[in-house]
Amino acid sequence: MREHFHALAACGAEPVHVRRESELAAVDGLVLPGGESTAISKLLEVFGLLEPLRQRLREGLPAYGSCAGMILLADEVLDTRPDAQSLSGIDMTVRRNAFGRQVDSFETDLDFDGIEGAPVRAVFIRAPWVERVGDGVRILATVPSGPAAGRIVAVRQGSVLATSFHPEVTGDLRVHAMFVDIVRERTAARLA
Ligand code: GLN
């Protein structure tokens, strides 16, 4: 959360923590951080945020999920607990802890659709990958080489963005800047 907070602030956003429904109601966009998706799912239930968040996503709230956040945003999750909840923010199937033991944590450079210049350094920590995307989902990045070559690791559907990896830990602000742009566009369109 802290790293996302700093990256968002560096992009000119005004980040706040969201723990209550009233705080959720006040934001123009939401970042779902990494961590443990089944634990975050439980906390969303305990804090009464699950339904309000689903509702806001249905209404078009921009959201960005990294790693566990990507898992939470999926329509369908493979290799999770049966009681884990998902937010259905993106029409996709995600496999949890997909990269397997040998490479469960690794780094690589990615071409990222919509990000100009140098490739994006991607840090994967017991990351998921995307196994299926629906028609409305844009694939933004895939693993370039190695045993997981071709696996989808960044997607966007409407105002919802998700990455398997953690751009918040590298100091490269471009993924967060992309999300902040999405939030600004969406907010401007809503106010117009
Ligand atoms: N493996 C974690 C999960 O299933 C995600 C790891 C992460 O967010 N870095 O939720």
Side-chain angles (χ1 to χ4, degrees):
M1 283 199 292
R2 189 182 50 218
E3 287 81 3
H4 280 295
F5 205 90
H6 289 148
L8 291 168
C11 292
E14 295 164 43
V16 293
H17 292 299
V18 170
R19 294 189 186 83
R20 298 188 178 83
E21 196 177 342
S22 58
E23 293 164 338
L24 177 64
V27 296
D28 295 319
L30 185 71
V31 172
L32 293 152
E36 171 48 56
S37 56
T38 59
I40 299 172
S41 155
K42 211 160 253 145
L43 289 169
L44 287 171
E45 287 184 86
V46 170
F47 281 75
L49 284 173
L50 190 61
E51 278 314 319
L53 184 46
R54 283 183 176 143
Q55 180 58 29
R56 283 221 64 191
L57 287 166
R58 278 195 292 272
E59 292 163 2
L61 177 74
Y64 166 45
S66 67
C67 203
M70 170 189 257
I71 296 168
L72 288 160
L73 284 171
D75 254 358
E76 187 189 15
V77 181
L78 306 174
D79 292 342
T80 192
R81 291 167 52 118
D83 60 346
Q85 304 287 339
S86 61
L87 297 165
S88 300
I90 297 182
D91 179 8
M92 64 176 172
T93 302
V94 162
R95 186 177 297 278
R96 245 178 106 224
N97 301 332
F99 288 89
R101 265 202 191 169
Q102 296 304 316
V103 288
D104 70 351
S105 297
F106 67 104
E107 298 185 25
T108 191
D109 289 324
L110 298 174
D111 285 330
F112 197 111
D113 189 10
I115 293 182
E116 304 297 318
V120 171
R121 186 77 181 159
V123 177
F124 295 86
I125 306 166
R126 292 186 60 71
W129 67 40
V130 180
E131 290 205 357
R132 177 199 64 84
V133 291
D135 286 340
V137 180
R138 236 168 74 199
I139 296 169
L140 302 181
T142 57
V143 176
S145 59
R151 291 296 181 178
I152 301 165
V153 291
V155 292
R156 174 175 173 180
Q157 181 172 25
S159 302
V160 184
L161 184 67
T163 61
S164 303
F165 55 91
H166 292 275
E168 73 277 10
V169 301
T170 61
D172 182 344
L173 296 174
R174 293 175 295 170
V175 174
H176 290 83
M178 175 184 268
F179 179 60
V180 170
D181 281 347
I182 292 171
V183 175
R184 287 202 179 109
E185 275 162 28
R186 172 83 201 176
T187 305
R190 210 178 24 147
L191 297 176

